[in-house]
Amino acid sequence: MSERVLIFDTTLRDGEQSPGATMNRQEKLQLARQLEKLGVDIIEAGFPASSEGDREGVARIAREIKNARIVGLARSVAEDIETAWRAVESAQLPGIHTFIATSDIHLMHKLRMSRDEVIDRAGQAVRLARSLSDWVEFSCEDATRSDPEFMCRVIETAIEEGACTVNIPDTVGYSYPDEIAALVRTVKENVQGIEKVIVSVHCHNDLGLAVANSLAGIKAGARQVECTINGIGERAGNAALEEIVMILDTRRETMGLHTNVVTNQIYHTSRLVTSITGIPVQPNKAVVGANAFAHESGIHQDGVIKERTTYEIMDPQRVGIGKSALILGKHSGRHAFRERIKALGYDLTEDEINLTFKRFKDLADRKKNVFDEDIEAVIAEEVLRTPETYKLLSLTVMSGSDVVPTATVRMEIEGQEFHGAELGNGPVDSIYNAILKLTGRSPNLVRFSISAITGGTDALGEATIRLEEEGNLALGKGTHEDILVASAKAMVNALNRLDYLSRQPRPSVRL
Ligand code: KIV
Ligand code: ZN
């Protein structure tokens, strides 16, 4: 009989700790809706004590999502736990995830606490959390560098106080598979009461082993795994949800385990995370990378044409990768457009459909074939966008081999219209000089890239830009048939994000 492994998604919490991946409330809600559709069991929606914004974001998700448990993270501190509870209490299935470090390195240098103090603090934290919530998870931060005997005592205390899930994080991605498997076994064999709770693993990817370590933990008896879409997260990221789920799915016979994930929602969820965070997926990334199902060698192509399973261990459709459907043209109507949006997994309001339909019509007028990817880009830009302080109204660029590139930009800034022209070393440089002059901002340009969303010279160009200003990192994206307009839109989008971030209260607590 196949046993179930619970999927605890932390894209909205640990994933959001990726540099520059800050999401606004609307984006978080959109992603939470998609995670619900994906069928994850638990959504860690944020760290409510970190800021007012996070608190509100978690509360909004808690009010809306019905089919997944909504959990808020809290240090083992009364105020954090009470704040986390206030944020999640309206959820159909609420929960508190509290943690404290158990390694000597953390005790000595970070917490400055003795082992006995840590045990007391963990016990008090779980007791308080359980007085508020029926579902409480307890984590031993830096578990894999902790003394296993001490860690087992801490976990035992947490279980005595009512924790229903105990989590073993490889916080710094230090472990290798045999070690984490041994640690899970040690916990299962030595902790009193362990049979009453779910054992969970949470692995970071510093040595590229997050998925292998998670799997080793599962094989040793963990029945919950904590992971993120596309493996985004602190530093080198967390274990990638899509990889763990597809390993269990593809090797179900061998593993005898399953998840409740709706696998054909994986690809769409991955693309949504990319479009919200601006963090691209490498082409050779397992399961969701652009090349994951591409066959280049003639021998492989020949094999796949004769029989797909010769070189494909998963059916791409199982993860929701269909043929990039050539869908709509300029004669397509609103009904067909609405149906396509639904099929792509989006749940848009009437106003949002109207907005995106208008953009689609403009696009179809200029571009012969409109692909799913084009529609996704339009939705990302029109629906998921940050509140706009700055709007690009028009752009004219003069460039070529014998002229100094010059950009003339017209913008709306807080409701008022401005225009200006600037020179630059190239057309993009002149555009950025003009926009920055008009907005009066001077961020550092950390990264700029441009790519075609689909094939063909009439493809939509997508510009991605990363800016840094006073400690805030913001990603901006822009799409347009004209790559210079796409570049200008990306800059304006990033500036809006920086502006949004600078208006948010600074997180009072960072992990
Ligand atoms: O990596 C980690 O230890 C964490 C904990 C808060 C669970 O993210
Ligand atoms: Zn983590």
Side-chain angles (χ1 to χ4, degrees), residues 124-384:
Q124 285 161 17
V126 176
R127 194 176 322 137
L128 172 61
R130 272 297 267 124
S131 72
L132 302 167
S133 169
D134 286 343
W135 191 98
V136 172
E137 169 172 321
F138 174 76
S139 287
C140 298
E141 192 189 12
D142 207 14
T144 52
R145 293 192 301 169
S146 303
D147 167 10
E149 209 178 299
F150 169 61
M151 193 187 80
C152 285
R153 280 173 52 211
V154 180
I155 292 179
E156 211 161 84
T157 307
I159 295 174
E160 275 165 19
E161 296 296 348
C164 47
T165 299
V166 292
N167 182 36
I168 303 177
D170 185 21
T171 304
V172 290
Y174 176 74
S175 184
Y176 53 79
D178 290 353
E179 285 177 329
I180 198 147
L183 196 56
V184 169
R185 276 195 294 271
T186 301
V187 168
K188 287 193 77 96
E189 283 160 15
N190 294 291
V191 171
Q192 266 198 22
I194 197 75
E195 67 292 343
K196 297 185 293 201
V197 304
I198 298 272
V199 176
S200 167
V201 281
H202 172 120
C203 301
H204 280 267
N205 204 30
D206 299 64
L207 294 173
L209 288 170
V211 170
N213 283 339
S214 305
L215 204 64
I218 293 170
K219 283 177 103 172
R223 287 295 172 264
Q224 175 178 291
V225 62
E226 305 196 354
C227 41
T228 59
I229 302 295
N230 297 343
I232 64 168
E234 187 80 36
R235 304 181 309 279
N238 289 58
L241 178 148
E242 61 280 5
E243 295 180 23
I244 293 169
V245 167
M246 288 316 291
I247 292 168
L248 296 181
D249 187 73
T250 307
R251 304 301 307 272
R252 195 166 171 157
E253 301 290 301
T254 323
M255 304 277 298
L257 298 168
H258 70 277
T259 71
N260 264 15
V261 166
V262 181
T263 59
N264 66 17
Q265 289 291 323
I266 285 179
Y267 186 60
H268 175 63
T269 316
S270 160
R271 291 187 59 87
L272 185 63
V273 168
T274 297
S275 85
I276 288 176
T277 62
I279 300 175
V281 166
Q282 77 207 50
N284 58 325
K285 162 89 177 57
V287 183
V288 291
N291 296 345
F293 297 93
H295 302 278
E296 185 70 17
S297 121
I299 297 175
H300 289 205
Q301 288 175 350
D302 182 54
V304 170
I305 289 166
K306 288 179 176 143
E307 166 55 42
R308 188 188 60 75
T309 55
T310 50
Y311 287 98
E312 264 180 13
I313 57 164
M314 295 170 262
D315 184 342
Q317 289 183 10
R318 187 129 183 95
V319 295
I321 302 182
K323 291 216 166 39
S324 178
L326 169 59
I327 42 156
L328 307 162
K330 65 177 178 183
H331 302 297
S332 307
R334 192 181 295 263
H335 180 69
F337 181 73
R338 189 196 305 271
E339 287 305 302
R340 194 63 216 156
I341 283 184
K342 245 201 236 153
L344 285 172
Y346 291 96
D347 200 4
L348 303 191
T349 63
E350 206 49 36
D351 282 353
E352 290 167 343
I353 290 178
N354 290 342
L355 205 63
T356 41
F357 184 65
K358 187 172 170 308
R359 263 295 298 279
F360 156 71
K361 277 292 190 190
D362 289 347
L363 185 60
D365 272 344
R366 286 187 257 186
K367 188 174 185 289
K368 209 166 97 209
N369 302 326
V370 180
F371 294 88
D372 288 350
E373 289 87 339
D374 297 320
I375 303 272
E376 285 179 338
V378 166
I379 293 174
E381 206 163 280
E382 296 297 332
V383 179
L384 303 174

